[in-house]
Amino acid sequence: MIIAIDGPAGVGKGTLARRLAAHFDLQHLETGALYRAVGLRVLRSGGDPHDPIAAAAAAGDLHVADLADPALRSDEVAEAASVVAAQKSVRQALLDFQRNFAKSPPGNAKGAVLDGRDIGTVICPDAEVKLFLVARPQVRAKRRYEELRARGEPAIYARVLADIEIRDRRDANRGIAALKPADDAIEIDTSDLDADRVFEKALDAIERRTRRLG
Ligand code: CDP
């Protein structure tokens, strides 16, 4: 069983993916961490994320340990991630890892939950269930702002909102694997829902979808 969850920044993909993975006993892959790790590698080497050669070299040299680096969570790295993610060679370098994870999840799990931007459209177009989360930009920025504050990082709401809007625009308008719902994705607007309600709605949708398939 593969569950694909896509959507823009701060929409609650990670929280939902973790809960669904625990509930169905599936492995979870947060694919944004891969692009963040590439962005971080480029920044640390003093390179420019817009430089396709630097980005491709970083993508070809990723290590599992890179995915656990706490520095991945910063907004500077998110911005670099979205710049490298628009480059074909970077997406190509990360494709097999993601597809293999979905096909043969670690620990012999019976399936996987992948969250990202192009899971339902490019990485796992045959996923049994595709969810596309949306929420108003102001709500997403507020969540992100509160998350940064809770971690003790200085944050300005207006700045967080502007960063999210720039990143969404880049992700939705790029020429490759643009952020968009698959034709058969089920959309959930999380603007006015807490994590429990989003989880319930997702379970409902999954049940309806798998009953129809079965
Ligand atoms: O946590 P948040 O939703 O803010 O971002 P993320 O999921 O960690 O993704 C960071 C960036 O990586 C995004 O802005 C996208 O540009 C890129 N990304 C992508 O292109 N494709 C994916 N499957 C996942 C992330």
Side-chain angles (χ1 to χ4, degrees):
M1 177 181 190
I2 296 175
I3 302 177
I5 307 180
D6 291 302
V11 79
K13 300 182 296 288
T15 306
L16 177 62
R18 275 188 293 278
R19 292 184 69 162
L20 289 175
H23 182 81
F24 290 109
D25 212 4
L26 306 172
Q27 288 282 344
H28 171 214
L29 178 65
E30 186 200 340
T31 64
L34 301 171
Y35 296 92
R36 285 174 180 263
V38 175
L40 180 60
R41 223 164 224 279
V42 174
L43 294 177
R44 283 209 176 130
S45 68
D48 175 357
H50 290 94
D51 171 6
I53 295 177
D61 189 31
L62 269 199
H63 301 275
V64 174
D66 294 348
L67 303 179
D69 194 321
L72 292 185
R73 309 280 20 128
S74 79
D75 276 357
E76 189 196 1
V77 172
E79 171 66 17
S82 120
V83 172
V84 298
Q87 299 170 32
K88 193 171 175 193
S89 57
V90 170
R91 306 203 73 87
Q92 196 61 39
L94 301 177
L95 187 69
D96 285 349
F97 175 80
Q98 297 174 80
R99 287 207 176 135
N100 285 340
F101 187 101
K103 213 172 102 207
S104 319
N108 269 333
K110 61 180 188 296
V113 184
L114 281 77
D115 76 85
R117 303 289 186 289
D118 63 338
I119 308 304
T121 50
V122 176
I123 306 294
C124 302
D126 299 329
E128 283 82 357
V129 180
K130 299 178 188 175
L131 303 173
F132 194 84
L133 304 190
V134 296
R136 293 188 294 277
Q138 291 77 3
V139 174
R140 297 189 281 116
K142 186 159 175 285
R143 287 181 192 151
R144 179 79 189 136
Y145 167 78
E146 281 165 3
E147 190 188 318
L148 290 168
R149 283 294 174 112
R151 286 211 307 265
E153 287 178 37
I156 300 166
Y157 170 78
R159 176 79 199 277
V160 175
L161 176 59
D163 284 353
I164 278 191
E165 287 181 327
I166 291 171
R167 193 144 62 89
D168 283 354
R169 214 171 304 129
R170 189 184 296 119
D171 291 348
N173 293 320
R174 65 189 177 205
I176 175 170
L179 167 67
K180 64 162 190 256
D183 290 341
D184 52 349
I186 300 160
E187 186 172 298
I188 301 176
D189 187 332
T190 72
S191 301
D192 303 309
L193 305 177
D194 65 16
D196 286 344
R197 279 294 292 142
V198 176
F199 179 61
E200 283 166 22
K201 279 207 163 208
L203 280 185
D204 261 11
I206 292 168
E207 206 172 292
R208 266 182 283 122
R209 187 53 60 93
T210 46
R211 208 184 308 135
R212 222 182 53 198
L213 290 174

